[in-house]
Amino acid sequence: EAGVAQSPRYKIIEKRQSVAFWCNPISGHATLYWYQQILGQGPKLLIQFQNNGVVDDSQLPKDRFSAERLKGVDSTLKIQPAKLEDSAVYLCASSLGRESSYNEQFFGPGTRLTVL
Amino acid sequence: KQEVTQIPAALSVPEGENLVLNCSFTDSAIYNLQWFRQDPGKGLTSLLLIQSSQREQTSGRLNASLDKSSGRSTLYIAASQPGDSATYLCAVLPGNTGKLIFGQGTTLQVKP
């Protein structure tokens, strides 16, 4: 079974530039998550999709971050404009569903973003 | 507000030792708890998931326990090997909504 795919793996940009990350979840997984992991910390949820609808974006900095999941499969996360503090690993995860019995989350390899 | 704490932040042991990693959470109303492994520069690999109604789960040399009433979980690694060197993260599901709350992780080094 193929895992969660993410690209690119690494990205270096200057502050105020824009960047986009792509995620392809495990086939059949209805729920998709984007997490931000700052060095030395645990991941923090940015946004959660159920199929193609947003169910939790309470911790997404909406003035600069946006995300979409068209057709309920692939997802993109965009940052515009980037700030120095956005330097982190961006992890995508998916699960069969949101309820606890279906909520074993599987993670992709992440995208390491460096903002200079 | 749910908070998850992992102690110690780092641990170094000689190969072959049995060891315990600790995870505590402030609100006992959780739906499940997951232990993950993260290798440098890599994503998270799910090791064990314990539903709230369960007390423990085992996979090979790994055993995870859950005590909801005291807000604690432990990950026991038997006969540690250098290949076990990684950061171990625990995460709780505080509601039936999918949002995991993570601890900061314990970085384990197993010396040959």
Side-chain angles (χ1 to χ4, degrees):
Chain A
E1 176 183 279
V4 176
Q6 290 187 248
S7 67
R9 291 296 314 279
Y10 306 93
K11 192 73 177 178
I12 301 174
I13 61 172
E14 305 254 331
K15 61 182 179 184
R16 292 187 288 274
Q17 285 187 324
S18 63
V19 64
F21 314 127
W22 173 83
C23 173
N24 180 244
I26 292 173
S27 177
H29 280 196
T31 312
L32 184 147
Y33 315 80
W34 283 102
Y35 289 86
Q36 180 193 57
Q37 185 177 24
I38 293 172
L39 187 64
Q41 299 181 17
K44 180 186 78 172
L45 181 72
L46 291 175
I47 189 167
Q48 179 187 169
F49 293 92
Q50 179 74 8
N51 297 309
N52 60 350
V54 175
V55 295
D56 185 349
D57 62 357
S58 57
Q59 298 195 83
L60 187 74
K62 298 180 186 63
D63 58 335
R64 297 183 300 106
F65 286 63
S66 64
E68 60 182 8
R69 189 183 184 197
L70 299 176
K71 301 181 181 179
V73 182
D74 293 5
S75 176
T76 55
L77 176 69
K78 297 180 182 177
I79 308 175
Q80 182 179 12
K83 293 185 175 181
L84 297 176
E85 59 259 37
D86 298 332
S87 294
V89 176
Y90 291 84
L91 295 162
C92 179
S94 69
S95 64
L96 282 170
R98 299 168 60 211
E99 296 80 11
S100 63
S101 55
Y102 303 106
N103 197 309
E104 183 171 11
Q105 296 187 22
F106 296 87
F107 284 75
T111 296
R112 181 175 298 276
L113 173 67
T114 302
V115 182
L116 303 176
Chain B
K1 178 186 172 186
Q2 177 73 266
E3 292 184 358
V4 180
T5 303
Q6 292 185 247
I7 295 173
L11 182 63
S12 181
V13 301
E15 182 177 3
E17 268 202 10
N18 302 324
L19 59 100
V20 174
L21 306 181
N22 297 296
C23 173
S24 61
F25 44 96
T26 54
D27 188 340
S28 62
I30 65 169
Y31 281 74
N32 68 39
L33 182 146
Q34 274 188 266
W35 281 94
F36 295 90
R37 168 184 173 139
Q38 187 172 33
D39 293 286
K42 302 287 181 63
L44 278 64
T45 301
S46 178
L47 297 174
L48 291 164
L49 182 149
I50 311 176
Q51 298 289 357
S52 61
S53 58
Q54 298 174 323
R55 298 280 297 184
E56 65 177 343
Q57 284 284 348
T58 298
S59 176
R61 295 182 293 108
L62 305 180
N63 176 276
S65 67
L66 175 62
D67 184 343
K68 276 181 55 178
S69 61
S70 67
R72 294 175 188 266
S73 176
T74 61
L75 179 66
Y76 174 83
I77 303 177
S80 58
Q81 303 171 357
D84 295 330
S85 298
T87 296
Y88 291 81
L89 294 150
C90 75
V92 300
L93 188 69
N96 210 14
T97 59
K99 180 177 179 177
L100 285 176
I101 306 295
F102 282 84
Q104 315 94 303
T106 294
T107 298
L108 171 66
Q109 182 184 33
V110 181
K111 297 180 179 178

